[in-house]
């Protein structure tokens, strides 16, 4: 069934997102100037942020993708994470920047950091479009953050609810009911 009968409230407009992405891009350019960098997109949610962010980068990165499997596709946070698709590039002697859509409980990014730690990267950092702080269970602090939210379930700009809403150019809170 195709149903999108949720009430949505605009949280970050496409203009606000673009402005933040430019700022994060500048911070990343300053951090990695002259260093070999691999930027890793965490599929699917980060794809739009990732592609906009890449266009701001002057540091000539290589890019790769990971896809993680977690149980459920609803609003509940996931605790059990595994790889559906690993990175394909060698991370040996590279600086690695993971690009994530939302950090909520922290389990997803914690899993990835643990997995990639043993790959020989010089550094391993995280850029998150939205850092949702209230339900954090693992100690993870993203190095580059677009927006900080306490709570609420958001969709659009790559973020989904049950695979819907990813194509929207702005970010909305899904209102309960
Ligand atoms: P964590 O493992 O609890 O940190 O959750 C991170 C993952 O859950 C992200 O990769 C998102 O795909 C998803 N997620 C968490 N909060 C939201 C949200 O508000 N909207 C859409 N996806 C979310
Ligand atoms: Mg996701």
């Amino acid at each position: 069934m195709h149903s999108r009968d949720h009430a949505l409230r605009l949280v970050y407009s496409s203009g606000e997102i673009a402005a933040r992405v430019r700022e994060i891009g500048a911070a990343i350019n300053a951090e990695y100037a002259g260093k070999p960098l691999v930027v890793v997109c965490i599929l699917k949610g980060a794809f739009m942020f990732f592609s906009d962010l890449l266009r701001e980068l002057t540091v000539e990165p290589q890019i790769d993708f990971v896809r993680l499997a977690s149980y459920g596709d609803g609003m509940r946070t996931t605790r059990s994470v595994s790889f559906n698709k690993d990175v394909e590039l060698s991370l040996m002697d590279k600086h690695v920047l993971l690009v994530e859509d939302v950090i909520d409980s922290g389990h997803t990014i914690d899993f990835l950091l643990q997995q990639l730690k043993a790959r020989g990267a010089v550094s391993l950092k995280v850029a998150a479009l939205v850092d949702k702080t209230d339900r954090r269970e693992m100690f993870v602090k993203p190095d580059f953050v677009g927006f900080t939210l306490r709570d609420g379930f958001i969709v659009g700009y790559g973020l989904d609810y049950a695979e819907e809403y990813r194509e929207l150019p702005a970010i909305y809170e899904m209102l309960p009911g």
Side-chain angles (χ1 to χ4, degrees), residues 69-73 76-81 104-108 137:
S70 49
Y71 294 106
D73 63 351
R76 271 189 59 81
T77 189
T78 50
R79 280 142 216 277
S80 181
V81 188
D104 187 13
S105 73
H107 284 278
T108 302
E137 291 174 7

Side-chain angles (χ1 to χ4, degrees), residues 35-41 50 54 57 59-65 88-97 99:
K35 297 174 179 170
L37 174 66
V38 179
V39 187
V40 177
C41 176
F50 182 75
L54 278 181
L57 299 190
V59 287
E60 304 182 349
Q62 297 180 334
I63 70 167
D64 211 336
F65 300 85
E88 294 167 18
L89 296 176
S90 166
L91 305 182
M92 188 64 70
D93 301 327
K94 303 284 179 57
H95 293 266
V96 176
L97 178 64
V99 178

Side-chain angles (χ1 to χ4, degrees), residues 12 20-21 46 70 77 91 100 108 112 114 162 173:
Y12 310 118
R20 275 308 284 147
V21 170
S70 49
T77 189
L91 305 182
E100 175 61 309
T108 302
L112 208 44
Q114 296 308 323
E173 181 180 3

Side-chain angles (χ1 to χ4, degrees), residues 40-168:
V40 177
C41 176
I42 305 175
L43 296 170
K44 297 177 188 173
F47 82 94
M48 206 176 276
F49 174 43
F50 182 75
S51 68
D52 284 344
L53 186 60
L54 278 181
R55 281 174 273 203
E56 301 297 329
L57 299 190
T58 56
V59 287
E60 304 182 349
Q62 297 180 334
I63 70 167
D64 211 336
F65 300 85
V66 293
R67 174 85 170 116
L68 300 171
S70 49
Y71 294 106
D73 63 351
M75 291 164 70
R76 271 189 59 81
T77 189
T78 50
R79 280 142 216 277
S80 181
V81 188
S82 62
F83 274 114
N84 260 353
K85 185 213 166 298
D86 203 336
V87 290
E88 294 167 18
L89 296 176
S90 166
L91 305 182
M92 188 64 70
D93 301 327
K94 303 284 179 57
H95 293 266
V96 176
L97 178 64
L98 305 177
V99 178
E100 175 61 309
D101 55 357
V102 183
I103 299 180
D104 187 13
S105 73
H107 284 278
T108 302
I109 204 72
D110 181 69
F111 167 84
L112 208 44
L113 288 168
Q114 296 308 323
Q115 293 293 317
L116 298 186
K117 227 182 216 171
R119 307 281 180 92
V122 186
S123 73
L124 198 48
K125 293 194 175 186
V126 176
L129 179 62
V130 179
D131 186 10
K132 271 185 10 184
T133 55
D134 269 17
R135 298 198 297 178
R136 194 62 44 85
E137 291 174 7
M138 308 300 285
F139 180 78
V140 228
K141 203 175 157 297
D143 303 276
F144 305 92
V145 177
F147 303 98
T148 302
L149 260 189
R150 294 196 56 194
D151 206 353
F153 195 85
I154 51 178
V155 297
Y157 197 69
L159 316 185
D160 76 307
Y161 172 70
E163 296 300 333
E164 301 285 342
Y165 303 113
R166 290 195 197 273
E167 83 289 356
L168 300 178

